[in-house]
Amino acid sequence: MSSPALRPYQTDAVKRVVEHFRASSEPAVVVLPTGSGKSLVIAELARLARGRVLVLAHVRELVEQNHAKYQAYGLEADIFSAGLKRKEASRQVVFGSVQSVVRNLDSFNDAGFTLLVIDECHRVSLNTEASYRQVIDHLRKQNANLKVLGLTATPYRLGQGFIYHRHYHGMVRGSEESFFRDCVFEQPLRLMVKQGYLAEPKRLDMAIEGYDFSLLAPAESGHYREAELNRVVAGNRATPMIISQIIERAASRQGVMIFAATVAHAEEIMGYLPLDQAALITGATPSIERTELINAFKARRLKYLVNVSVLTTGFDAPHVDLIAILRPTESVSLYQQIAGRGLRLSEGKENCLILDYAGNPWDLYAPEVGEPKPPGDNEPVQVECPTCGHANLFWGKRDGELVIEHFGRRCQGLIENDAGKRIQCDFRFRFKVCDNCGAENDIAARRCHGCEQLLVDADDKLKDALRLKDARVLRVSGMQLEAAQNGRGLPRLKVTYHDEDGTALSEWFALETPAQRRAFYAVFLRHHLRAPGTSWQPVTPEEVINEQCRLRHPDFVVGRKAGRHFQIRDKLFDYQGRYRKADEAG
């Protein structure tokens, strides 16, 4: 039997993995879009491995699919999955479900396992008690040099952000605590479509005729609350019209998947679909029934498959060419997972129509930013680091092509230190300064990374200032800029901060000489820019005033009396504490 032919990008992925693990035992990630053939990459790596290999997935469909691709090489492998009614673990390569393996760790007491492959690895938690982590820890006890490889289309986890720390393009994506250390290969979705490996997505925003989820906010878990979703969709007059429209557009389509917001919503949707052509799958659908319904859909005995959050990964029906999204999605990753169900190639399929009835703001091709999206009309913006030149991707706002605001904290670029080791660039766009050594720290840091001293808490600063008779603390509600003259008639920029009661504090800046402008940037501009790190270098007070849309005011200003006047001693930005800010007044 001839081995399956790998596509060029699959060959590149395998090569990068082999190179990484020859040099390191740090866990690695390969990012390949849905439908790009992760199973073949897994099969090739398992074939090349010298020791034993365990391939894990979270659903039996993926276990079966990955096993089948390996067998296509003419090689034999075991399956360890209760759902597939097989528990074999003696051959060199074992394909298992994580739930079955974690319950039977004694079957894997073998130092011969040298490679662990995890499909849909964005499911690996930072929690060391979680199933995947238990399996990893068990195998590492047998073999300290175990190589751990994860594959996913969406390397992002709600509540955590990116699941890996470094990207091979030379940037930091996830936190230092990330379990996976390096992304060693990534194939962009847009390139896959352009090269003809995936069907083209044709997205239509149907929000005008859809549901208004705009007032809903995810819970602390990152997910929307079912009760709030039901308030929007339950008995909504738009639902019958929406389903009628889907049926109309599906007339020339082969397979339709509908993603509902809640179980009650899905049940209502089923009432408007042709009963003999539709099925519903939820988390409560019994396993046998679920398998029968999915097989009927894949065999095209059913045209419509309605589901609630259960078929976003590990589901493969290439003939799907219409996706209807009737629910809000918490991240671009989830949106891409849903749309990815319809991007596989199939005979007679020209493209995949994606109908979005929920007003989701995501661009299917856009990369994940990694941080939760701040409130308001924000989009991914590119911000160049003034130190290393790395093009960072942050949430922010544009005015035309100009980035006028971003929420980035630290440069994501990787640079080489004197020892030749790749480390994260230390430029910080937003920071708080250590009073002890002057080092710049993350705005959420509690201890200085430079001198290890505890950083002075913002609340303590305010409390101490409020105790002083010669101090004035402003809860800033506004900032006014004006071109003025000093006592000698020289031009100055006057900046005045106001609180809710009309009390004010002012500071003055000169911009006539290069040294004065450098001081203005260091003392004022770097802290006040809504898009810090940008190259704006105003040379006159008028230029600052004309472009004041680029500036933000502090949350609090502390002044101390100096003679007859007050001198500004401290400003607090990005404040999060027990004192109320001006914009939080009831």
Side-chain angles (χ1 to χ4, degrees), residues 155-167:
Y156 178 86
R157 186 176 172 88
L158 278 175
Q160 177 187 334
F162 280 99
I163 62 170
Y164 59 84
H165 181 48
R166 298 175 295 247
H167 192 283

Side-chain angles (χ1 to χ4, degrees), residues 9 23 26 31 71 101 109 114 167 184 216 253-254 270 308 317 333 367 371 375 406 416 427 444 473 529 550 560 581:
Y9 66 84
E26 290 195 318
V31 180
Q71 282 194 314
V101 171
N109 289 335
T114 58
H167 192 283
V184 297
L216 300 189
R253 297 279 161 173
Q254 302 175 33
M270 283 293 292
V308 186
S333 292
E371 296 292 328
H406 72 74
E416 270 195 16
F427 181 83
V473 179
L529 277 173
R550 293 171 175 254
R560 293 289 297 274
K581 295 191 288 189

Side-chain angles (χ1 to χ4, degrees), residues 271-561:
Y272 303 119
L273 290 168
L275 282 179
D276 60 336
Q277 296 181 49
L280 167 61
I281 293 178
T282 73
T285 305
S287 178
I288 294 174
E289 181 185 347
R290 171 175 165 155
T291 301
E292 290 173 351
L293 293 176
I294 288 175
N295 288 340
F297 180 71
K298 288 181 176 180
R300 309 193 194 191
R301 295 193 299 274
L302 296 171
K303 183 165 186 173
Y304 303 90
L305 194 58
V306 184
N307 87 101
V308 186
S309 302
V310 292
L311 299 180
T312 54
T313 59
F315 176 80
D316 182 2
H319 75 289
V320 170
D321 55 0
L322 194 158
I323 302 279
I325 305 173
L326 280 65
R327 54 158 292 178
T329 53
E330 294 88 341
S331 69
V332 68
S333 292
L334 178 57
Y335 194 77
Q336 289 170 340
Q337 286 168 355
I338 288 173
R341 300 308 108 201
L343 300 188
R344 284 182 168 85
L345 300 177
S346 180
E347 189 176 345
K349 174 177 170 180
E350 294 182 6
N351 55 49
C352 179
L353 184 62
I354 299 170
L355 307 179
D356 190 338
Y357 290 93
N360 287 295
W362 314 113
D363 177 349
L364 187 58
Y365 295 117
E368 184 65 75
V369 174
E371 296 292 328
K373 186 178 181 182
D377 187 21
N378 291 289
E379 61 179 315
V381 297
Q382 200 173 82
V383 181
E384 185 175 307
C385 172
T387 299
C388 74
H390 177 73
N392 294 278
L393 192 67
F394 299 135
W395 288 114
K397 293 185 176 72
R398 291 184 197 236
D399 183 0
E401 290 300 306
L402 178 68
V403 175
I404 60 168
E405 182 172 25
H406 72 74
F407 295 90
R409 294 185 184 182
R410 183 178 176 182
C411 175
Q412 300 163 338
L414 282 170
I415 58 175
E416 270 195 16
N417 64 10
D418 294 339
K421 183 182 177 184
R422 291 196 308 165
I423 60 170
Q424 185 173 0
C425 172
D426 60 6
F427 181 83
R428 296 182 187 275
F429 294 92
R430 286 190 168 85
F431 55 88
K432 59 183 177 184
V433 176
C434 173
D435 294 335
N436 184 56
C437 72
E440 295 175 358
N441 293 274
D442 185 79
I443 58 175
R446 302 193 59 176
R447 192 175 288 276
C448 175
H449 73 88
C451 66
E452 295 294 320
Q453 290 285 317
L454 278 172
L455 296 169
V456 179
D457 184 71
D459 279 344
D460 291 339
K461 282 188 177 183
L462 291 175
K463 188 167 61 177
D464 291 344
L466 288 166
R467 287 180 183 148
L468 299 172
K469 291 181 180 178
D470 66 341
R472 179 178 288 174
V473 179
L474 263 62
R475 180 183 282 118
V476 181
S477 61
M479 181 176 74
Q480 179 183 353
L481 279 65
E482 55 185 311
Q485 294 182 336
N486 68 4
R488 293 184 292 156
L490 296 172
R492 295 290 183 264
L493 174 69
K494 182 182 179 184
V495 183
T496 305
Y497 306 97
H498 303 275
D499 73 2
E500 300 154 312
D501 303 320
T503 308
L505 285 172
S506 298
E507 56 186 346
W508 300 66
F509 297 98
L511 286 88
E512 295 164 79
T513 68
Q516 289 170 337
R517 291 193 286 272
R518 285 195 297 271
F520 173 65
Y521 178 85
V523 174
F524 179 87
L525 207 56
R526 189 172 177 197
H527 303 274
H528 283 264
L529 277 173
R530 292 170 62 197
T534 49
S535 59
W536 184 46
Q537 300 281 351
V539 297
T540 65
E542 289 77 14
E543 193 178 344
V544 179
I545 293 164
N546 291 338
E547 295 282 333
Q548 60 184 293
C549 64
R550 293 171 175 254
L551 304 175
R552 60 177 182 153
H553 65 70
D555 299 313
F556 292 91
V557 169
V558 178
R560 293 289 297 274
K561 197 147 193 182

Side-chain angles (χ1 to χ4, degrees), residues 181-321:
R181 307 309 298 159
D182 291 278
C183 173
V184 297
F185 183 82
E186 181 169 14
Q187 180 76 350
L189 176 62
R190 191 187 296 275
L191 185 61
M192 293 282 293
V193 173
K194 184 178 178 181
Q195 293 177 342
Y197 292 125
L198 290 177
E200 182 182 3
K202 294 280 189 181
R203 182 181 184 272
L204 295 179
D205 190 349
M206 318 297 283
I208 295 172
E209 299 139 326
Y211 306 103
D212 184 8
F213 294 105
S214 61
L215 297 179
L216 300 189
E220 285 186 15
S221 65
H223 299 281
Y224 289 98
R225 299 175 181 87
E226 186 170 4
E228 292 184 3
L229 291 171
N230 271 329
R231 276 200 290 275
V232 175
V233 298
N236 192 303
R237 286 180 296 178
T239 303
M241 180 196 69
I242 287 170
I243 303 307
S244 173
Q245 193 176 71
I246 291 171
I247 292 171
E248 182 183 336
R249 289 186 175 269
S252 59
R253 297 279 161 173
Q254 302 175 33
V256 181
M257 291 185 72
I258 299 174
F259 289 82
T262 67
V263 173
H265 184 217
E267 289 170 346
E268 184 188 357
I269 289 168
M270 283 293 292
Y272 303 119
L273 290 168
L275 282 179
D276 60 336
Q277 296 181 49
L280 167 61
I281 293 178
T282 73
T285 305
S287 178
I288 294 174
E289 181 185 347
R290 171 175 165 155
T291 301
E292 290 173 351
L293 293 176
I294 288 175
N295 288 340
F297 180 71
K298 288 181 176 180
R300 309 193 194 191
R301 295 193 299 274
L302 296 171
K303 183 165 186 173
Y304 303 90
L305 194 58
V306 184
N307 87 101
V308 186
S309 302
V310 292
L311 299 180
T312 54
T313 59
F315 176 80
D316 182 2
H319 75 289
V320 170
D321 55 0

